[in-house]
Amino acid sequence: LHTIRRCMFLFKPIAALRNFALAKMKSLSLLSLATVAFGALSDMKLDGLKLDGFDFDSLDILGGKAAAVKKPWYLGGPLPSKGPFGASIPIHLFLDEYANATIIDIGGVSFELACLPQETGGSVTALIFNVDTGKEISGLFDVGTQVGSDNAANIGRCGSSTGGDGIENLLQQGLWTFITSGTPGPDDRLQPFSCLWDDVADPAESFEDFGPEVFDLNHFLSKFDNGIQLNAPRESMGFFASNTTADTKGFDALCGVWGFLDIDIPKGVPFSVPALDNSYASKY
C-alpha cells in the first residue's frame, strides 16, 4: 500500500506537466492559425469589392482602418445608376443662356428644360416630356391644364389648355401606348415622342417689367406598365422665365425650375438626374 501511494504521488506532477503541455500546444495552434489567417488576408485582393453602404477599396482590416461608409444620396452622396429606387427627389436647374438641358431620364422617359428666346424679345421657359425607350411601352397619364402658352417649343401640349389657340393636346387623361414603328392608332404615340408639359414667358424689356415671371407647374402624373413612375404632384414644383439675367439678381439666370419629383424605378432600369439639387447637403 505504501508503494502504491508513492506511485500516485509521482503521477500527480506528471499529470500536471501533461496538462501544461496540452495548453501550450493549443496556444501554439491558435497562434499558427492566426498567422495563416494574417497571410491570407494580406494576399486577399479587395479592390473593387463593394457592398451596399461600404467601399472595400479603402478598407484596411489589418491596419486598423474603419470601413469607408458612403454618404446616402440625401446627404450629398451619389444616386444609384439603376433601379430599384424610389424617392421624392429635390430638383434645381437654372440656365443663364438659351439652351436645352435634361432634368431627369429614366430608361428613356424624361423631363427636359428648354430655355428659348421669344420672337418678339424676352425669354420662354418650357418643360418638355419625352419618351424614347426603344421598345413599346404603355402608360397612364393625368396632366394639368395650362392657362396659356407661348409655345416657343413648337410642339403639341401634353395636357389640355384654356387658351383656345388650337394647339394639339397629345396626352389626354387616360392610357397611351408608345410604339417604335408602324402607323399609330387613336391611342398610340410614335417614338421618339415629345410634348409640352408647361411653359412661362417673360416679355421683352420694352414691355412694363416687374422682374421674372414665376409660376407653379401644372401637375404631371404618370405610371408605366414596366413599373416606372414619374410624378410632379400639384404645387410641388415652380419655374420662371426672365428676359435678362440681371433681373434675377443673385440667381443670374434666364430660365429655371425647382421643387420635388416623385419617382419609382424598377430593378435594372437605368436612370440619371442631372438636375438633382444636393446643395443643402454641404452642411452634413
Side-chain angles (χ1 to χ4, degrees), residues 81-84 105-108 135 226-228 265-272:
S81 59
K82 292 183 179 181
D105 187 302
I106 307 173
K135 57 185 177 182
N226 67 349
I228 292 174
I265 303 165
K267 183 178 180 180
V269 174
F271 76 101
S272 63

Side-chain angles (χ1 to χ4, degrees), residues 63 120 155 170:
T120 57
I155 57 176
L170 298 177

Side-chain angles (χ1 to χ4, degrees), residues 212-263:
E213 296 289 333
V214 184
F215 291 97
D216 62 315
L217 275 159
N218 294 312
H219 69 274
F220 190 109
L221 307 177
S222 66
K223 180 175 178 61
F224 293 84
D225 58 4
N226 67 349
I228 292 174
Q229 291 191 65
L230 179 55
N231 299 318
R234 298 179 190 276
E235 301 178 351
S236 64
M237 298 186 71
F239 69 143
F240 74 89
S242 179
N243 53 43
T244 68
T245 56
D247 284 346
T248 55
K249 306 298 182 181
F251 291 113
D252 191 31
L254 293 170
C255 306
V257 61
W258 78 97
F260 287 84
L261 285 173
D262 296 342
I263 61 175

Side-chain angles (χ1 to χ4, degrees), residues 33-110:
L33 181 60
T35 303
V36 171
F38 183 92
L41 287 171
S42 298
D43 294 335
M44 187 182 293
K45 299 297 183 182
L46 296 176
D47 294 345
L49 178 60
K50 296 183 180 181
L51 295 174
D52 188 21
F54 294 88
D55 183 355
F56 282 87
D57 286 343
S58 56
L59 178 62
D60 183 0
I61 298 173
L62 300 175
K65 292 182 181 178
V69 180
K70 285 189 174 181
K71 283 185 178 181
W73 69 269
Y74 48 83
L75 294 182
L79 283 169
S81 59
K82 292 183 179 181
F85 180 81
S88 181
I89 56 174
I91 297 297
H92 174 99
L93 180 58
F94 287 15
L95 300 179
D96 60 3
E97 61 182 359
Y98 296 127
N100 287 37
T102 299
I103 298 170
I104 183 171
D105 187 302
I106 307 173
V109 176
S110 67

Side-chain angles (χ1 to χ4, degrees), residues 104-122:
I104 183 171
D105 187 302
I106 307 173
V109 176
S110 67
F111 282 143
E112 176 186 359
L113 171 64
C115 188
L116 307 166
Q118 291 190 96
E119 292 183 0
T120 57

Side-chain angles (χ1 to χ4, degrees), residues 16 108 123 158 171:
S123 304
C158 300
L171 287 183

